[in-house]
């Protein structure tokens, strides 16, 4: 009886491929570590294989299957070119929540991908790759995360940027302003009235006077909640109004408007620390901060209108 050796070898190969499972370890910047797998059951893996521990069997952890988590095919190129992989899933599960997204907890998270034989995961990784989360998008129902390998970091632009606005980070060594100066650029505050989760009244606490600062003093700044349902989370400020400024509201208290609503409900009495902002323009650096000597922009650079400008006829 004839025997097809080629088909037998292919069947064996297909069987071995069916035993491959992907493990994903996600480490967010706040220190939270999440472990998931595309296998249909939990897998135990000793992470010493990828952490470089002296004994690779001393860091055993469990990876769990999670619904609503899907990884795309990896895109890779030869030489020193970057490779990437995309993850997507549903918001509201045990992995990605709306509150975490709004708080920016997934920004720049590290992702370790390990391929193992699910029957013998203790043998170690068949392949291991490290990614950095470079882009995170969500539309309210579905999230998508774009990850790049370490080659992507070598492709990032490094150096000075020439632009009309200042390229310094507000409060860094090149800027020179102390962005955390108590009662000068940083103010302890409390909520006195709530309109929405992005619009509320406030006043200073502990001798701080944020309500006396000029309109939009905190614009493009941020606040960090120190108590209440949103404790520990930070949000960017869209507008701010002085206690006796141009705010058309009926309350005498100062007002803050956030760029987007908070994840949890704001309540009267919630405490927060609000930080001043800078729009990086020459006018703001000069008038608001008296810091023109450290201005890092080049307002003399011609814009696109100057490039497209044509000649004019002059009467003789």
């Amino acid at each position: 009886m004839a025997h097809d050796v080629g088909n037998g070898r292919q069947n064996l190969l297909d069987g071995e491929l069916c035993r491959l499972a992907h493990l994903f370890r996600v480490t967010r910047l706040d220190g939270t570590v999440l472990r998931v797998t595309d296998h249909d059951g939990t897998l135990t893996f000793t992470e010493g294989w990828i952490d470089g521990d002296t004994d690779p069997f001393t860091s055993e952890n469990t990876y769990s299957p999670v619904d609503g988590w899907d990884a795309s095919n990896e895109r890779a190129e030869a030489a020193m070119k970057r490779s990437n992989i995309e993850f997507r899933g549903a918001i509201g599960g045990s992995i990605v929540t709306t509150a975490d997204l709004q708080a920016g907890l997934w920004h720049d998270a590290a992702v370790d991908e390990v391929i193992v034989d699910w029957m013998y995961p203790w043998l170690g990784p068949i392949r291991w790759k490290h990614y950095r989360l470079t882009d995170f998008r969500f539309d309210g129902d579905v999230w998508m995360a774009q990850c790049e390998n370490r080659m992507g970091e070598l492709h990032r632009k490094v150096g000075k940027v020439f632009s009309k606005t200042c390229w310094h980070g507000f409060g860094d060594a090149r800027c020179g302003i102390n962005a955390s100066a108590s009662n000068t650029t940083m103010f302890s505050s409390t909520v006195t009235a709530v309109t929405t989760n992005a619009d509320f009244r406030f006043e200073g606490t502990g001798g701080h006077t944020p309500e006396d600062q000029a309109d939009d003093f905190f614009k493009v700044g941020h606040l960090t909640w120190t108590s209440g349902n949103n404790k520990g989370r930070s949000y960017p400020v869209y507008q701010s109004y002085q206690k006796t400024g141009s705010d058309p509201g009926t309350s005498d208290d100062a007002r803050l408007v956030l760029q987007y609503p908070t994840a949890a409900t704001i309540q009267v009495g919630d405490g927060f620390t609000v930080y001043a902002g800078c729009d990086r323009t020459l006018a703001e650096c000069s008038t608001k901060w008296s810091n023109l000597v450290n201005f890092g922009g080049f307002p003399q650079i011609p814009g696109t209108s100057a490039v497209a400008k044509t000649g004019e006829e002059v009467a003789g």
Side-chain angles (χ1 to χ4, degrees), residues 49 63 294:
W49 289 109
Y63 288 72
N294 290 325

Side-chain angles (χ1 to χ4, degrees), residues 252-302:
D252 290 335
D253 289 336
R255 177 185 171 205
L256 278 179
V257 181
L258 305 181
Q259 287 192 12
Y260 49 83
T262 57
T265 302
I266 300 175
Q267 297 179 331
V268 173
D270 287 355
F272 62 91
T273 302
V274 61
Y275 297 82
C278 178
D279 65 5
R280 302 172 186 267
T281 62
L282 178 68
E284 180 130 336
C285 185
S286 175
T287 60
K288 183 176 179 178
W289 302 112
S290 301
N291 194 38
L292 190 58
V293 66
N294 290 325
F295 182 68
F298 300 86
Q300 300 84 3
I301 295 178

Side-chain angles (χ1 to χ4, degrees), residues 98-99 102-103 196-199 225 230 234-236 257-266:
T98 303
Q102 291 179 336
T196 68
N197 283 339
D199 188 344
W225 295 98
N230 295 289
S234 298
Y235 293 88
V257 181
L258 305 181
Q259 287 192 12
Y260 49 83
T262 57
T265 302
I266 300 175

Side-chain angles (χ1 to χ4, degrees), residues 20-294:
L20 298 182
H22 292 77
L23 308 179
F24 300 100
R25 182 182 66 177
V26 183
T27 306
R28 300 189 323 202
L29 293 185
D30 64 348
T32 300
V33 179
L34 304 169
R35 296 177 174 88
V36 298
T37 178
D38 60 2
H39 190 52
D40 58 2
T42 58
L43 293 176
T44 300
F45 178 69
T46 50
E47 292 180 353
W49 289 109
I50 59 177
D51 286 340
D53 293 348
T54 303
D55 183 355
F57 299 98
T58 59
S59 53
E60 190 173 84
N61 288 282
T62 300
Y63 288 72
S64 304
V66 177
D67 292 333
W69 172 281
D70 181 41
S72 69
N73 292 329
E74 177 191 1
R75 176 182 176 273
E77 298 184 42
M80 295 287 288
K81 296 183 179 179
R82 69 187 73 182
S83 63
N84 58 55
I85 188 171
E86 185 179 79
F87 300 98
R88 64 178 61 197
I91 295 177
S94 58
I95 296 296
V96 179
T97 64
T98 303
D100 290 344
L101 289 175
Q102 291 179 336
L105 299 182
W106 284 87
H107 177 70
D108 212 28
V111 179
D112 291 289
E113 177 198 23
V114 181
I115 298 179
V116 300
D117 184 335
W118 62 263
M119 290 186 65
Y120 310 105
W122 46 268
L123 289 176
I126 297 174
R127 190 189 74 173
W128 167 67
K129 283 198 172 185
H130 178 82
Y131 299 94
R132 181 68 64 178
L133 199 156
T134 57
D135 183 32
F136 209 115
R137 305 182 302 276
F138 63 102
D139 60 8
D141 297 316
V142 177
W143 57 266
M144 290 179 290
Q146 187 73 31
C147 299
E148 289 186 348
N149 67 348
R150 286 172 173 165
M151 290 299 103
E153 298 179 7
L154 298 180
H155 287 265
R156 294 180 181 177
K157 295 181 180 180
V158 178
K160 191 171 183 178
V161 177
F162 294 89
S163 63
K164 289 180 175 292
T165 56
C166 181
W167 68 288
H168 299 158
F170 181 61
D172 66 13
R174 296 164 299 187
C175 169
I177 298 294
N178 184 356
S180 299
S182 181
N183 210 27
T184 301
T185 55
M186 178 187 72
F187 300 81
S188 297
S189 311
T190 186
V191 176
T192 59
V194 180
T195 304
T196 68
N197 283 339
D199 188 344
F200 54 89
R201 304 280 175 172
F202 71 102
E203 63 181 6
T205 59
H208 285 207
T209 57
E211 65 274 9
D212 293 336
Q213 308 308 312
D215 288 354
D216 284 337
F217 180 80
F218 300 104
K219 184 176 181 179
V220 300
H222 69 282
L223 64 81
T224 300
W225 295 98
T226 56
S227 65
N229 299 326
N230 295 289
K231 183 179 180 180
R233 303 186 186 279
S234 298
Y235 293 88
V237 176
Y238 177 66
Q239 289 177 314
S240 68
Y241 296 93
Q242 188 180 15
K243 183 175 182 179
T244 57
S246 60
D247 180 21
T250 57
S251 173
D252 290 335
D253 289 336
R255 177 185 171 205
L256 278 179
V257 181
L258 305 181
Q259 287 192 12
Y260 49 83
T262 57
T265 302
I266 300 175
Q267 297 179 331
V268 173
D270 287 355
F272 62 91
T273 302
V274 61
Y275 297 82
C278 178
D279 65 5
R280 302 172 186 267
T281 62
L282 178 68
E284 180 130 336
C285 185
S286 175
T287 60
K288 183 176 179 178
W289 302 112
S290 301
N291 194 38
L292 190 58
V293 66
N294 290 325

